[in-house]
């Protein structure tokens, strides 16, 4: 829609990265060892598809990292909790002074990967979920 509702906060401070790694109980701890974190936010009032726009922006961050020989990992924040009382987004917003009109969609951890993970073998790819022309017609490549 061209409204570009997304905004980013780039964090390189190790102390702040450690605090961000505690934004939710699971799936963020590795951020404390990352070289940087990018917090992907968006303004829901700017676009009815802010979630999609922010997600697409985050994917471009992943692609840019890969093109530079870096590793990256998505950390889901929207609809996740920091504690039973505080959302992960509210925790991050308070920590980084993110204004109330913005929602935190995700964080992206970026750095040199600790290990090189092999791609999935071709025989494990789920080709049965790909159809040609209409749903139910198998794609035969």
């Amino acid at each position: 829609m061209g409204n570009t509702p997304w905004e980013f906060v780039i964090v390189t401070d190790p102390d702040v990265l450690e605090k961000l790694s505690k934004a939710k109980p699971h799936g963020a701890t590795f951020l404390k060892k990352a070289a940087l974190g990018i917090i992907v936010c968006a303004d829901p009032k700017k676009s009815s598809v802010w979630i999609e726009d922010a997600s697409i922006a985050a994917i471009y961050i992943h692609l840019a990292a890969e093109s530079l020989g870096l590793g990256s990992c998505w950390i889901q924040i929207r609809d996740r909790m920091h504690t039973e009382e505080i959302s992960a987004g509210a925790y991050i917003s308070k920590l980084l002074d993110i204004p109330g009109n913005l929602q935190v969609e995700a964080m992206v951890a970026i750095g040199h990967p600790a290990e090189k993970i092999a791609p999935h073998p071709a025989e494990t790819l789920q080709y049965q979920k790909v159809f040609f022309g209409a749903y139910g017609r198998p794609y035969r490549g």
Side-chain angles (χ1 to χ4, degrees), residues 17 30-37 64-73 108-117:
L17 288 169
F30 56 87
L31 184 58
K32 68 182 166 192
K33 294 183 180 180
L36 73 105
E66 176 69 22
S67 76
L68 296 170
L70 298 171
S72 63
C73 190
V108 179
I110 298 177
H112 293 282
E115 62 181 298
K116 184 76 172 173
I117 299 173

Side-chain angles (χ1 to χ4, degrees), residues 119-129:
H120 295 279
E123 59 273 6
T124 67
L125 299 179
Q126 299 179 29
Y127 292 110
Q128 72 276 13
K129 292 184 176 182

Side-chain angles (χ1 to χ4, degrees), residues 6-12 16-17 20 31 36-42 61 92-93 95-99 102-104 106-110:
W6 40 260
E7 297 187 30
F8 310 108
V9 179
I10 298 170
V11 177
T12 58
V16 178
L17 288 169
L20 289 169
L31 184 58
L36 73 105
I38 300 177
I39 291 68
V40 181
C41 309
I61 291 169
I92 294 166
S93 293
L95 179 67
L96 301 178
D97 297 323
I98 296 171
L102 297 178
Q103 296 291 314
V104 179
M107 297 188 293
V108 179
I110 298 177

Side-chain angles (χ1 to χ4, degrees), residues 17-90:
L17 288 169
E18 182 169 358
K19 290 175 184 171
L20 289 169
S21 76
K22 299 174 183 173
K24 60 183 193 168
H26 305 288
T29 56
F30 56 87
L31 184 58
K32 68 182 166 192
K33 294 183 180 180
L36 73 105
I38 300 177
I39 291 68
V40 181
C41 309
D43 186 343
K45 291 184 179 172
K46 282 190 176 179
S47 175
S48 62
V49 292
W50 71 271
I51 295 169
E52 292 84 349
D53 286 344
S55 299
I56 291 166
I59 292 300
Y60 275 102
I61 291 169
H62 286 287
L63 293 171
E66 176 69 22
S67 76
L68 296 170
L70 298 171
S72 63
C73 190
W74 175 288
I75 302 168
Q76 178 65 28
I77 297 300
R78 183 182 48 81
D79 291 340
R80 298 300 183 262
M81 297 300 289
H82 171 65
T83 64
E84 287 186 21
E85 297 83 28
I86 302 169
S87 72

